[in-house]
Amino acid sequence: MIYCIGNSHANVFTDTHPATQNKIFKSGFVSCSIGPVITYNFLENHLYKVLNILESSDFNKKTDYVMLIVGEVDCRWHLPKKSNDNNIDYYDVVKECIDRFFNNYLELKSKGYNVIGWGGHPSTTDGHCDNPDQPVFGTCLERNVISRTWDMLLKDKCDSNNIPYISIMEYLIDNNGLTKMEYFMDYCHLDYSKVKSILFEKFKDYII
């Protein structure tokens, strides 16, 4: 089993509505949303919730995996806004965030949990929006540079620490750098029916 724990995007793995916060099992995946969490202070504010879920589940440390599903809203709003407001290069903003976030992977490994790194998915093609219920910063092209940088840096961290890494980013961005919204159910959540075959192909070696 792969335990997908994080924000609402965890629910795509079990074909569950994004607002669902119960633990859901389906086809080798377990999804559990712990709310609208972001990555920067995940270790301090949310890792204990992940551990509580794992410790209260039938998690098998020999055969099961945990995968943290966070980062989409960081790449859609927080990181591009921080880059813009502080005149910091995209790469440096993302690297700082990934360096902090990766400590969660190391902590889970130190407790005997198998971890899979998850590359997330790109940002909506929608333009800038200050609505707090649907925040979007900058342009799709700018945000997807950040999403791809996130994907690259997290993969490098995982590779250096012998942690398997899975990304579907390549399937979701076209040759012009824009997001393929046909894979989405709304402005930011993936549509299970559209990505199901991709997910099962990518995760086939980890689903028991």
Side-chain angles (χ1 to χ4, degrees):
M1 300 287 283
I2 301 174
Y3 285 70
C4 308
I5 306 173
N7 55 31
S8 61
H9 298 289
N11 290 315
V12 69
F13 293 91
T14 55
D15 190 20
T16 309
H17 190 277
T20 304
Q21 292 196 339
N22 298 326
K23 192 186 301 179
I24 306 295
F25 296 76
K26 181 171 181 172
S27 303
F29 291 99
V30 182
S31 66
C32 188
S33 171
I34 55 176
V37 299
I38 58 175
T39 59
Y40 193 78
N41 290 319
F42 194 93
L43 183 70
E44 299 88 340
N45 297 336
H46 304 296
L47 184 62
Y48 78 93
K49 302 174 190 176
V50 175
L51 293 172
N52 286 342
I53 291 167
L54 298 175
E55 290 165 3
S56 63
S57 303
D58 295 325
F59 190 97
N60 186 324
K61 289 187 175 181
K62 291 184 178 179
T63 60
D64 292 341
Y65 293 84
V66 58
M67 192 163 63
L68 301 180
I69 311 299
V70 289
E72 186 275 333
V73 70
D74 299 81
C75 295
R76 171 165 42 90
W77 177 262
H78 298 284
L79 296 178
K81 186 176 189 303
K82 182 174 182 178
S83 173
N84 179 80
D85 292 352
N86 296 282
N87 194 28
I88 303 173
D89 185 78
Y90 289 153
Y91 179 92
D92 295 329
V93 168
V94 177
K95 185 177 185 304
E96 179 193 15
C97 192
I98 290 294
D99 286 347
R100 291 174 61 92
F101 177 58
F102 193 75
N103 289 324
N104 293 278
Y105 287 36
L106 299 178
E107 185 68 15
L108 287 164
K109 278 194 70 175
S110 74
K111 295 182 181 298
Y113 292 103
N114 298 314
V115 180
I116 295 177
W118 170 241
H121 60 266
S123 177
T124 176
T125 54
D126 290 354
H128 185 92
C129 178
D130 290 319
N131 182 344
D133 294 325
Q134 193 171 309
V136 180
F137 194 93
T139 70
C140 179
L141 285 173
E142 292 167 341
R143 294 189 300 271
N144 281 351
V145 170
I146 288 176
S147 295
R148 281 174 152 163
T149 303
W150 176 285
D151 188 27
M152 176 189 70
L153 292 178
L154 187 53
K155 181 182 186 303
D156 288 347
K157 285 277 193 182
C158 287
D159 289 348
S160 297
N161 288 272
N162 297 313
I163 294 174
Y165 185 80
I166 293 178
S167 172
I168 64 171
M169 195 76 70
E170 63 189 288
Y171 296 90
L172 307 178
I173 299 178
D174 68 21
N175 292 334
N176 296 314
L178 297 175
T179 303
K180 299 178 181 179
M181 293 304 296
E182 59 266 30
Y183 288 99
F184 289 70
M185 63 181 293
D186 60 22
Y187 81 105
C188 72
H189 294 97
L190 293 172
D191 184 332
Y192 177 81
S193 68
K194 303 294 178 59
V195 298
K196 176 182 177 180
S197 61
I198 299 173
L199 294 177
F200 277 95
E201 175 62 26
K202 287 286 190 175
F203 287 96
K204 64 184 179 182
D205 294 334
Y206 303 96
I207 297 174
I208 296 177

